[in-house]
Amino acid sequence: MSLNQNTARSASSAIADTAADSGRRLPQQRGILKRKAATQESPAVNLVLTIILSFGAIIMAAPLVWMVSTSLKTKEGVYSLPPEWIPDPFVWDTYARVFDDTYVLSGIKNSLIVALSVTIVGTLFSSLAAFALAKLRLPGKNAIFLMLLSGMMVPFPTLMIPQFVMFSKIGWVDTLLPLIIPVILGNVIMIFFLRQYLHNVPDSLVEAAKIDGASYLKIFWTMMFPLMRPAIAAQFILWFMAVWNDYLAPIIYLNSPEKQTLQVVIANMNVQYATQRDYPLIMAASVISVIPILIVFLIFQRQIIESIALTGSKT
């Protein structure tokens, strides 16, 4: 019995010593973690990151600022040395000459018709296609999806001549229809992105809605479309930029100056006014061409941030 008591006392003292050691070590470990967290969030680190990001932002914004500055200069001010970032004097009449002496106004109208019709209607069809390929039980939907992806591998230059011959036979050359009809039914990149986005949504939601008697269109409008809004906003801006800045297709199909899109009009201005050293006029038209993209970005800015925030989260 004495041996057992001695053994019990030894075990008790060992346990107490272990607990005391662990109690002493835990605060030390907590202090180390706190010091690491303080190092990661220290003002010095934040200051360095702010300086680096600010330097990158200046480099990214410098061409845009120079374009706006050049559009407000005189012809002689463009070639002044050292370069002037702040025009002296400010020439605001350049923007009035853009609309008086060129086809910029008609180019803006044509570009808006093409870009808005393609992106708005195409986004709707792309969302429906992504919903069908992700959540509906369709026979051969994976094969259909692979066929859509394989179409992305065909470069546009290989299709230019056959498409031009086809559109010329049906009388669509020198109209906006060749720029709208082939792409208005959807964008493969958007369909792929939205389909992958919908894979994170549980199928049980669709099944529960079907049990309640909801049709597929109602499920899409009331459940899936609101869930896809952040992803749709991000893809909408990218698609709008691609259509708005497209130069190759408009220059192939559009011949009349009043039917050309804004990018073709600016390219023609570059040929016409560069010989006259009227670079402020060209830069003014370029500034005007950037404004619609900035407006679209500001409209969907909240959805884009939400899309980025939800990228690493699990539903």
Side-chain angles (χ1 to χ4, degrees):
M1 294 296 294
S2 60
L3 182 61
N4 293 334
Q5 291 176 355
N6 293 331
T7 304
R9 292 192 188 98
S10 301
S12 300
S13 61
I15 293 173
D17 294 339
T18 304
D21 292 339
S22 62
R24 287 193 298 268
R25 290 173 184 173
L26 286 177
Q28 294 177 356
Q29 293 176 354
R30 293 194 190 101
I32 294 173
L33 294 176
K34 288 181 179 179
R35 286 195 296 271
K36 289 183 179 180
T39 304
Q40 292 176 355
E41 298 179 359
S42 63
V45 174
N46 292 335
L47 179 61
V48 172
L49 292 177
T50 302
I51 293 174
I52 294 174
L53 294 177
S54 301
F55 183 72
I58 292 173
I59 294 177
M60 297 291 290
L64 180 62
V65 175
W66 180 256
M67 181 175 63
V68 176
S69 175
T70 305
S71 67
L72 298 173
K73 294 178 181 178
T74 60
K75 294 181 182 179
E76 295 76 15
V78 176
Y79 300 96
S80 62
L81 293 175
E84 298 178 353
W85 285 90
I86 301 176
D88 186 21
F90 284 87
V91 182
W92 300 99
D93 296 338
T94 306
Y95 287 90
R97 290 195 300 117
V98 165
F99 295 103
D100 294 337
D101 301 340
T102 63
Y103 291 94
V104 169
L105 191 60
S106 61
I108 293 174
K109 181 188 69 175
N110 296 330
S111 294
L112 285 176
I113 293 173
V114 174
L116 292 178
S117 61
V118 167
T119 52
I120 293 176
V121 180
T123 297
L124 176 61
F125 283 110
S126 299
S127 304
L128 288 170
F131 170 66
L133 293 173
K135 296 301 177 186
L136 270 61
R137 295 180 180 178
L138 299 176
K141 67 177 183 180
N142 292 330
I144 295 174
F145 183 63
L146 291 176
M147 289 176 61
L148 291 175
L149 293 180
S150 63
M152 298 173 56
M153 302 178 186
V154 181
F156 178 71
T158 61
L159 304 175
M160 289 190 302
I161 296 177
Q163 282 189 355
F164 183 83
V165 173
M166 180 180 66
F167 291 141
S168 63
K169 289 183 178 180
I170 60 180
W172 283 7
V173 175
D174 205 19
T175 65
L176 299 178
L177 293 177
L179 307 179
I180 298 175
I181 301 301
V183 291
I184 200 172
L185 295 180
N187 185 353
V188 179
I189 297 177
M190 180 178 285
I191 294 173
F192 171 78
F193 185 82
L194 296 180
R195 177 182 178 270
Q196 300 304 115
Y197 191 87
L198 285 177
H199 274 311
N200 294 325
V201 179
D203 296 336
S204 58
L205 294 177
V206 179
E207 298 297 332
K210 288 173 59 179
I211 293 174
D212 291 338
S215 62
Y216 284 116
L217 286 178
K218 188 173 183 179
I219 294 172
F220 172 77
W221 279 114
T222 59
M223 296 177 58
M224 296 300 153
F225 193 79
L227 290 174
M228 289 190 296
R229 278 189 304 178
I232 290 175
Q235 291 298 311
F236 182 89
I237 289 182
L238 296 177
W239 195 8
F240 183 87
M241 290 176 57
V243 177
W244 180 266
N245 293 325
D246 187 20
Y247 174 76
L248 183 58
I251 202 174
I252 292 174
Y253 298 112
L254 303 178
N255 301 321
S256 302
E258 65 275 5
K259 295 181 180 179
Q260 292 174 343
T261 59
L262 183 58
Q263 304 305 325
V264 180
V265 171
I266 294 176
N268 294 336
M269 288 176 58
N270 193 20
V271 175
Q272 180 180 357
Y273 292 97
T275 57
Q276 304 175 12
R277 291 188 172 184
D278 200 350
Y279 289 105
L281 188 68
I282 300 173
M283 290 299 176
S286 301
V287 171
I288 294 173
S289 68
V290 175
I291 292 176
I293 297 176
L294 294 178
I295 293 174
V296 172
F297 176 77
L298 292 176
I299 293 174
F300 294 101
Q301 181 180 10
R302 182 178 177 182
Q303 284 77 13
I304 294 175
I305 295 174
E306 184 179 352
S307 175
I308 296 173
L310 294 176
T311 300
S313 63
K314 295 182 180 180
T315 56

